[in-house]
Amino acid sequence: MDDWRRAFAQNALVPPHPQRARQLGKESTAFQCILKWLEGPLIKQGILDLLSELECHLRVSLFDVTYKHFFGRTWKTTVKATNQLSKQPARIIFNEPLYFHTTLSHPSIVAVVEVVAEGRKRDGALQVLSCGFGILRIFGNKPESPTSAAQDKRLRLYHGTPRALLHPLLQDPIEQNKYMTLMENCSLQYTLKPHPPLEPAFHLLPENLLVSGFQQIPGLLPPHGDTGDALRKPRFQKPTTWHLDDLFFTLYPSLEKFEEELVQLLISDHFREGVGLLDSGTLEVLERRLHVCVHNGLGFVHRPQVVVLVPEMDVALTRSASFSRRISASSKNSSGNQALVLRSHLRLPEMVSHPAFAIVFQLEYVFNRPSGADASASSSTSTPSLACMHMVRWAVWNPDLEAAPGKVTLPLQGGVQQNPSRCLVYKVPSASMSSEEVKQVESGTIQFQFSVSSGAPTEHASGPRAGRRASRKTPASPSGTPAPSARDLAAVQDSPVGPGLSLSQLAASPPSPALRSSSKPPPQPPDSSQSPEGPQLQAESVLEGRVSHLEADLSQPPLVQGTPAVEHLQELPFTPLHAPIVVGAQTRSSRSQLSRAAMVLLQSSGFPEILDASQQPVEAVNPADPVRFNPQKEESDCLRGNEIVLQFLAFSRAAQDCPGAPWPQTVYFTFQFYRFPPETTPRLQLVKLDGTGKGGSGPLSHILVHISKDGSFDAGSPGFQLRYMVDPGFLKPGEQHWFAHYLAAQTLQVDVWDGDSLLLIGSAGVQMKHLLRQGRPAVQVAHELEVVATEYEQEMMAMSGDVAGFGSVKPIGVHTVVKGRLHLTLANVGHACEPRARGSNLLPPSRSRVISNDGASFFSGGSLLVPGGSRRKRVVQAQRLADVDSELAAMLLTHTPAGQGPRAAGQEADAVHRRKLERMRLVRLQEAGGDSDSRRISVLAQHSVRAQHSRDLQVIDAYRERTKAESISGVLSQALTTHHTLYATLGTAEFFEFALKNPHNTQHTVAIEIDSPELSIILDSQEWRYFKEATGLHTPLEEDMFHLRGGLAPQLYLRPRETAHIPLKFQSFSVGPLAPTQAPAEMISEKDTESGPLWKCSAMPTKHAKVLFRAETGQLIAVLCLTVEPQPHVVDQVFRFYHPELTFLKKAIRLPPWHTLPGAPVGIPGEGPPVHVRCSDPNVICEAQNVGPGEPRDIFLKVASGPSPEIKDFFVIIYADRWLAVPVQTWQVCLHSLQRVDVSCVAGQLTRLSLVLRGTQTVRKVRAFTSHPQELKTDPAGVFVLPPHGVQDLHVGVRPRRAGSRFVHLNLVDVDYHQLVASWLVCLSCRQPLISKAFEITMAAGDTKGFNKRITYTNPYPSRRTYRLHSDRPDLLHFKEDSFQVAGGETYTIGLRFLPSGSPGQEEVLIYINDHEDKNEETFCVKVLYQ
């Protein structure tokens, strides 16, 4: 025990500053620092004269410059004699290694080295003096980058004492402060470098503890050889496993009185501190917990195990007879006091046979008190209760190394003395008793049985290497402790080793409804309890290649309002549940399911035939055939023009769609192709074909016909065709390459809308890789696409909005329904294009990754007024100066000469007026016949022209003198300017290097200035190396190339005539404004589409960026002008969400498995690469949660919806590399903000409500449409007039067929102009009615006739009543009559007809019997067995 107490007392640590400790925890970094020797005249002559036996040593302490706080523990070297300073060189040699590890990787964390001299005064007293200090920078200027210097360094020393660092005038950088005085010719030689071999010993060394390599660390073996450095390559002692059983705590005078006094003292403390007026009835003991851990004198070896203690009488009746006998025996030994009992045994595998190893027991009480000050609002209301924890007792057992298994009794300790957790402990009784034996037990005792296992655990058998691997790879439990094995769990099944936080500490969070409704635990696989991933993997639904997503709950007002906690709670990991979803963007073209008869019908419907440039039918390809994409063949095609044709043929209803749902009469489509504007087709009429089946639900049922402006349509010209011309006149130089890759990789998303109700029917996705002609003149492909609708249904109500117990988000069921099949034909017709008249000889821009400024270092002459004159041809046509310069032309048009004031302007105006009068007089004389004056008239005209020319020449001369300097500097800057064009896509990092050459014969420090935030210099050498390897660039790479000074521009040193490669990266996360629309384009026809160049307004805006390379004198060395041409990016998924207005949408979208993602890196099986996510909208919060290996990855989104009917579009970009080089997934998210209406109702019962309609500026004929017309009906049901600026009620009746919560869309549409006037999102929360009777029938599965049955219903009322019948499955059950009347007390027979089912199984059908007001009277359940 003495060894442990000595080590514990000598290694007390000062914690870091609280502000620094609140920062996010990072991985700890180990360091080795070797202090070699001191050099120089450190000790003054006056000190040598006053002191004798003078010696010297060093002291090292950690210091936080930002908060001026010393922390950790000061470490001292061995004492050295100072007689070596009289020799040459004057040097004191130490050569002592120093080790430590820390997570505070910040440049403000430094090590302060103090030189201390000590000697004897003349009276023999010891005198200690500080002779100077130095500041050792552990981390570089960049955070998280430790100095990796392995060579020797010199540490400059300053006069004074390190305590001066606490002065407020010494601010960082301290070394440059004027109050710091440097000691001349004095320095400390040292080395500092990271020391990874120390990482396996982190559990034996507390953080920020400075230790010497010559110090004996408990748990480590002595080093090999004569080095004496045990931490250079640590070797571990063999651990043993200790078992503790029959553990009892005895508190005096009794457990009841001890806890009663504890509660009273806590209440008085709360009263004095003003927390609240509590009484003993509002503060209760929730748990009595025991923390058990192994301590080596320096710190806890592992995180303490936390178990729950219970009073012995509470468990006496629940355990076996042997356990009861042990309780009775312990009660006798405890003099009749009730004890606290641990119902299981403890296993400690970390014990080592070392005198400093001990087992620490800490008794902790958890109390429950209400959050409010009033005690009356405690448990009876929904106010949450807070859990407060206090340590009351602790004990330490330092076992004998040779001890045999037996029984141990230890005294408990408390009060103000130091304890291993370094926290306040409950007081001990007053020491008024004289007997030492009584003092030992008056604070309580702990009693237990112990034993030692013969074998060592396997995880420590392989030494430090295995320990390090286990610490890196072993999945952690919620508290951070390693996951126990199956044998350990079996041993502690009664009192399992729980996390650092138990349920009592989370009392503020309400329990999950699932836990309250059922006491049965959820089913788990047999091995699910052995690892934390078990329940998560069980809840996951595997669907490769799809994206699962989690819908936040219907934002109900939380029932419980949380209160701010005094302390920061520990965040626990949570496992959200996900439901799979089939996304339209990933829907592939299904293979042709049409019969040959249907194909004949489709071909004979009269669709226009697609012809190539030679007016020949286009070659058709099979969509199921693979595509071999050869970029060289695509670029070398002589037919440079590509005419992309989209032909919408037919839209048929899916067989599995609900037959009772109405089928739209008109539809329209929205999509966006390449960088053309978003396309919205006109409304197309669905015309039913003859001979498609009785019900019209065959695979081909309706064709699409264009509707004319007067509302009529011609069934003889079916289909709708769109053409996009992509030729060299449309494409920019070098863009042909990007367009070919766009066709090869992109999936075209087509949204199908109801043309009357403006509701989304569904989405379809088609791959465009078959449009690659690969040298062929033309190609076409016919697709049959599934139109998929996504519906959301809430399956579970959360108690507090979106977040329930442990932070998990309650899911909402996601259902995907195939609404229909879209028949679409895509074609690509090649055209021979004429070369461009202007710039036809221009070559495509270079795709080289290295840009040089060698060709921009000379000036070949030219005009100063002509832009780019040096680049023009030598033979040019003469032009007027006014046509060359617009500013000069504007000055020549004015009458005021340059450089004259208002007076001169007035005189000029008078002269012009006199000249006009004279000219008018001469004209009149000439008309009168005066030929003698013609010569005079000519002379006056010539004089006027000469005066005008003279004035113009003066203006031109003055203008040239004023702009000469600016024009010359502009032309010279053009000689230094290099122009380059980049083709960038959203989120992709475009890497290139600029070869900067110093044109002068002197060295320069060049500052690099960039005017665009999207263009940056790559400062990290690892990132530079990554991009070089990715692009195959073999140019030189340099470490520490740039000098950074705060927020100033990076600086680069260039030798004379030297060329350096500057790594640059352009990456943009912003997109242009999208124009999504929901209304059809009625006024755009195919003819208008072909004639109007719509693509001119769709060109993505060109971006420009400039990089200036400026010397220290301000002179420009080079200029790089970048022209960035944004290119369309690939969209892998499209999500469309409808959400209430002015609320937050919280979404969790699950990534598909990594092996299904294109371009995903290949890693270790079961381990995915790190996930990073960015968003194009800075107002959207998106993040990727870090999970364990093998776990699915989720992307969390938080978006604020705007006012209705705003549509917010943004892109989410996901990366699998740390440098965010190339996205692996790009998602487009469309958020529709709608007005929210909450409806609480009963299934089968009619619920009525009213919505307020406000008129617009004009009279409108409107109609209400709903997405679920079988469950929601409106009054008026048809078309009605909405007066201008008026207010009108729209009556809504809701009758849900089944229980649950889901969304229903309600649109108010102008029927004349097909515009959306208003839109609502109706949130239904429907509960199940009480079922009064149940029936069961059996039917044949293949029967086509159906089955008739009868049931009786008795009117329980004395008067005659009218009843109405409804069913939740009208597709399976029909009534003989929908309503009936029955007299009071009489019985009525209800006729039922059950429709057949094509497959065997079991269905439950509910029959709702409602009264005349449509309120539910009774509900019958019929179970139908199809055999």
Side-chain angles (χ1 to χ4, degrees), residues 75-87:
W75 174 80
K76 299 180 182 180
T77 64
T78 56
V79 179
K80 301 290 183 178
T82 59
N83 52 10
Q84 301 179 11
L85 295 177
S86 58
K87 302 178 182 180

Side-chain angles (χ1 to χ4, degrees), residues 398-638:
N398 191 210
D400 188 5
L401 300 181
E402 304 296 332
K407 182 178 180 181
V408 177
T409 301
L410 300 175
L412 298 178
Q413 304 180 40
V416 295
Q417 60 179 328
Q418 288 287 339
N419 59 83
S421 293
R422 307 189 186 280
C423 61
L424 296 177
V425 183
Y426 181 57
K427 72 177 185 68
V428 296
S430 59
S432 59
M433 303 181 184
S434 58
S435 173
E436 292 294 329
E437 297 179 356
V438 174
K439 289 182 180 181
Q440 289 291 331
V441 300
E442 64 184 355
S443 296
T445 59
I446 177 176
Q447 176 182 323
F448 57 89
Q449 296 279 348
F450 76 96
S451 61
V452 183
S453 298
S454 57
T458 57
E459 60 266 22
H460 296 279
S462 58
R465 191 179 302 272
R468 179 182 178 184
R469 182 168 60 249
S471 64
R472 295 271 181 174
K473 303 298 182 184
T474 302
S477 63
S479 63
T481 58
S485 62
R487 192 179 72 174
D488 301 341
L489 288 173
V492 293
Q493 58 184 353
D494 292 327
S495 293
V497 179
L501 296 179
S502 63
L503 290 176
S504 61
Q505 293 173 255
L506 301 173
S509 300
S512 173
L515 296 179
R516 282 201 308 268
S517 60
S518 175
S519 60
K520 184 187 298 184
Q524 295 183 0
D527 57 346
S528 63
S529 61
Q530 298 183 14
S531 65
E533 293 84 9
Q536 183 171 0
L537 292 177
Q538 179 194 359
E540 176 189 359
S541 297
V542 179
L543 186 61
E544 293 187 358
R546 301 290 193 266
V547 173
S548 307
H549 85 73
L550 172 92
E551 175 74 38
D553 195 0
L554 299 178
S555 302
Q556 296 182 351
L559 301 179
V560 181
Q561 298 291 339
T563 56
V566 180
E567 298 180 356
H568 292 279
L569 293 179
Q570 179 184 0
E571 182 180 1
L572 297 179
F574 66 92
T575 307
L577 299 179
H578 296 263
I581 176 176
V582 180
V583 183
Q586 212 163 2
T587 304
R588 298 182 178 179
S589 171
S590 59
R591 297 189 180 182
S592 180
Q593 299 179 359
L594 297 179
S595 63
R596 295 185 184 273
M599 290 295 296
V600 171
L601 187 62
L602 185 64
Q603 295 296 329
S604 61
S605 298
F607 295 108
E609 187 178 13
I610 301 176
L611 304 176
D612 60 6
S614 303
Q615 300 302 313
Q616 298 296 324
V618 175
E619 175 187 355
V621 298
N622 189 357
D625 294 341
V627 176
R628 295 177 176 87
F629 173 47
N630 187 352
Q632 289 76 17
K633 182 181 293 187
E634 198 71 26
E635 293 181 11
S636 61
D637 192 354
C638 60

Side-chain angles (χ1 to χ4, degrees), residues 4 104 125 147 167 295 322 362 549 607 697-698 818 837 857 874 1206 1220 1235 1243 1305 1308 1391 1396 1404:
W4 180 86
L104 305 177
T147 57
H167 199 279
H295 198 283
S322 60
Q362 296 175 341
H549 85 73
F607 295 108
S697 60
V818 179
S857 59
R874 296 187 181 273
E1206 180 182 278
L1220 311 184
Q1235 302 180 51
H1305 300 277
L1308 189 68
E1404 287 189 357

Side-chain angles (χ1 to χ4, degrees), residues 851-854 856 974 976-980 994 1118-1122:
I851 308 170
S852 176
N853 68 334
D854 291 342
Q974 289 181 5
L976 301 175
T977 302
T978 303
H979 296 270
H980 184 70
F994 182 72
V1119 178
L1120 173 62
C1121 290
L1122 283 179

